[in-house]
Amino acid sequence: VAGGTGAGGNDVQWCFSQVKGAIDDDVAEADIISTVEFNHSGELLATGDKGGRVVIFQQETENKCQPLSRSEYNVYSTFQSHEPEFDYLKSLEIEEKINKIRWLPQKNAAQFLLSTNDKTIKLWKISERDKRPEGYNLKEEDGRYRDSTTITTLRVPVFRPMDLMVEASPRRIFANAHTYHINSISVNSDNETYLSADDLRINLWHLEITDRSFNIVDIKPANMEDLTEVITAAEFHPHQCNTFVYSSSKGTIRLCDMRASALCDRHSKLFEEPEDPSNRSFFSEIISSISDVKFSHSGRYMMTRDYLSVKIWDLNMENRPVETYQVHEYLRSKLCSLYENDCIFDKFECCWNGNDSVVMTGSYNNFFRMLDRSQRRDVTLEASRESSKPRQVLKPRRVCAGGKRKKDEISVDSLDFNKKILHTAWHPQENIIAVATTNNLYIFQEKVN
Amino acid sequence: SEALFGEAEPETKMISMEKAEEAKLKAKYPNLGSKPGGSDFLRKRLQKGKYFDSGDYNMAKATKNKQLPVASVEKTEITGDHIPTPQDLPQRKPSLVASKLAV
């Protein structure tokens, strides 16, 4: 890992770097952040919101000679990716909310990303323009046509520098392939195809072709009354272009090999932790529903997030995870009220650091958790305006589950369940993290002495 | 071998906590079905965004950010005075505002 970074967790002290977004408490629905994603180099950071807008930030290193110098992310481009629609045939509202953004690896000067709402995926090209042609023969600089009778000589137009302009244009629109709501998109390592998954089906697309896609998973039962499980997330393996996984609302993960057959309804591997049926409660299935699945960078492991825990699975072992981490175990005694206020259905995401040694996921009260696999330690941190002085080191937070509350601890009943951190992202190489609260984006960095 | 950390509870305590919470929920909602992850719940989820028709959808959008007026007896409101036309509906699509993250 470049620059000796990558050891996250508790040896690293995290400092506030930047916060983006408005301070006011009255949050417009459109400003709710719905996805956060670094590109492959970490130079660009994209966010999507409920209003269908994408904002891209670019990292600017203060001092290129010092590898660990403080770098800031500033607005690079912003555009309206999706707009609200209404399906008149089915009387269904199609929200403009951006569910996921995935970057394509960079092939040339331009950057490409896929953004999706519930029904339509779009490929956006983000390109820079820093020069423009000047010296046309037939036109003035402002565009007016010159009187041709006044032209006595010819000149060759030349490119002259101009202020940098970043343009975003939709290059492909992949529509009409999903009856249900898209929850995931994942670019294949072959850089030619990608998958999109909705509640019941997964489709395979070619990036160049918009008028057709191949259905590779279909779990819709013949009779909808028999429906017991939906697809919650899907991802391609980072290196093996034939392999992908999808998770379900019943807590299982299926690994599929596209070489086995055209329709991957039969999994190659089924990852499921056994459970004693007598231990099941009303909540068991709901809290086992997997809200996110992510392969490690190495491709050897995958991580799943369910309501209360994060699990690390070895792809070579299907019958149980190799590691389980409690995210907020103190919520187990609050499941009744969390069901009543719908919080039990919140979909938290999770992410790996660059060298797969630490994983991160969000929680309530604007807390987020860093789980260090190699050091066997974990820490709870908070994204708040109170801890946002420049380079302020984040203090670990503790939640008191019951009994006597120690000083500096917060009791479970005081947690704000409206302040959820659902989306987080980790820079692919450095210890820089992006944490989204409801409508603000926090950027934290490793403390540099 | 499995590693558990965070504030992990022994399994028996976990189950009894969940069952206690379940009992609480059933006490509040005695008609609650026993299969929460079952087809009813999933089918409801798949129906997200469903409206009766486009008129229903447009009315919902128009009144989303407004306080719905409380029916007051004092007002002498005349209904059926005229047939509303599309122009009468407070339907103007708001102009696209830039994200506050981009400020």
Side-chain angles (χ1 to χ4, degrees), chain A residues 74-140:
Chain A
N74 299 317
V75 180
Y76 179 66
S77 173
T78 178
F79 54 93
Q80 186 77 32
S81 172
H82 287 71
E83 301 220 14
E85 288 173 63
F86 188 73
D87 180 339
Y88 291 95
L89 195 61
K90 298 178 184 164
S91 296
L92 273 177
E93 173 185 25
I94 302 168
E95 284 187 339
E96 66 274 36
K97 173 167 76 86
I98 309 295
N99 293 334
K100 286 280 166 13
I101 288 173
R102 289 289 182 263
W103 291 92
L104 267 57
Q106 192 173 12
K107 280 198 280 198
N108 52 38
Q111 299 278 357
F112 288 86
L113 61 79
L114 287 170
S115 69
T116 188
N117 69 348
D118 283 341
K119 297 286 183 182
T120 304
I121 308 125
K122 296 188 183 181
L123 176 69
W124 288 88
K125 176 180 180 182
I126 296 109
S127 46
E128 293 185 359
R129 192 197 292 266
D130 60 359
K131 32 185 182 294
R132 63 157 184 247
E134 280 177 27
Y136 284 108
N137 291 291
L138 301 175
K139 278 198 283 192
E140 303 287 0

Side-chain angles (χ1 to χ4, degrees), chain A residues 294-389:
Chain A
K294 292 261 169 55
F295 279 104
S296 64
H297 292 93
S298 64
R300 164 102 192 258
Y301 300 96
M302 66 178 174
M303 162 168 54
T304 57
R305 174 70 156 96
D306 52 68
Y307 191 61
L308 298 178
S309 67
V310 160
K311 294 180 182 173
I312 311 284
W313 303 77
D314 184 323
L315 294 187
N316 298 312
M317 187 160 80
E318 298 166 61
N319 62 352
R320 57 185 175 85
V322 288
E323 293 155 39
T324 300
Y325 304 89
Q326 303 305 325
V327 179
H328 36 217
E329 178 65 19
Y330 46 79
L331 295 184
R332 201 179 289 269
S333 58
K334 302 286 169 197
L335 292 176
C336 177
S337 40
L338 292 168
Y339 180 87
E340 289 181 284
N341 62 18
D342 275 352
C343 283
I344 205 173
F345 303 109
D346 285 336
K347 297 188 180 55
F348 292 95
E349 291 173 10
C350 52
C351 60
W352 299 83
N353 75 338
N355 67 3
D356 300 335
S357 60
V358 185
V359 298
M360 167 168 63
T361 190
S363 178
Y364 294 105
N365 209 70
N366 283 348
F367 286 174
F368 59 99
R369 303 268 287 139
M370 307 282 248
L371 310 161
D372 193 328
R373 303 173 62 214
S374 47
Q375 308 255 351
R376 307 302 227 197
R377 282 187 291 183
D378 60 284
V379 70
T380 304
L381 299 173
E382 182 181 1
S384 75
R385 291 276 176 175
E386 285 75 46
S387 317
S388 42
K389 285 192 271 296

Side-chain angles (χ1 to χ4, degrees), chain A residues 111-256:
Chain A
Q111 299 278 357
F112 288 86
L113 61 79
L114 287 170
S115 69
T116 188
N117 69 348
D118 283 341
K119 297 286 183 182
T120 304
I121 308 125
K122 296 188 183 181
L123 176 69
W124 288 88
K125 176 180 180 182
I126 296 109
S127 46
E128 293 185 359
R129 192 197 292 266
D130 60 359
K131 32 185 182 294
R132 63 157 184 247
E134 280 177 27
Y136 284 108
N137 291 291
L138 301 175
K139 278 198 283 192
E140 303 287 0
E141 292 312 323
D142 60 9
R144 283 179 301 145
Y145 282 98
R146 288 170 73 187
D147 178 357
S148 53
T149 57
T150 63
I151 300 170
T152 52
T153 58
L154 283 178
R155 56 189 177 173
V156 178
V158 290
F159 276 99
R160 295 227 185 277
M162 60 180 257
D163 287 340
L164 179 68
M165 209 166 74
V166 182
E167 302 169 315
S169 61
R171 303 303 288 177
R172 304 273 187 276
I173 299 189
F174 305 92
N176 301 318
H178 285 278
T179 306
Y180 304 100
H181 297 109
I182 298 174
N183 52 57
S184 312
I185 47 175
S186 178
V187 184
N188 200 341
S189 53
D190 68 7
N191 280 341
E192 289 188 351
T193 58
Y194 74 94
L195 63 76
S196 58
D198 67 29
D199 292 314
L200 296 178
R201 299 192 177 104
I202 302 179
N203 293 329
L204 180 71
W205 301 84
H206 191 284
L207 286 164
E208 299 290 326
I209 298 165
T210 58
D211 65 354
R212 80 199 86 150
S213 71
F214 288 101
N215 176 243
I216 53 177
V217 172
D218 189 338
I219 66 166
K220 183 175 179 200
N223 186 350
M224 283 299 266
E225 306 258 316
D226 299 332
L227 181 68
T228 55
E229 131 178 77
V230 294
I231 297 169
T232 52
E235 191 175 67
F236 265 120
H237 189 278
H239 315 306
Q240 291 164 23
C241 58
N242 54 290
T243 304
F244 66 93
V245 292
Y246 68 94
S247 58
S248 84
S249 53
K250 278 186 157 175
T252 64
I253 309 100
R254 287 172 176 79
L255 184 143
C256 300

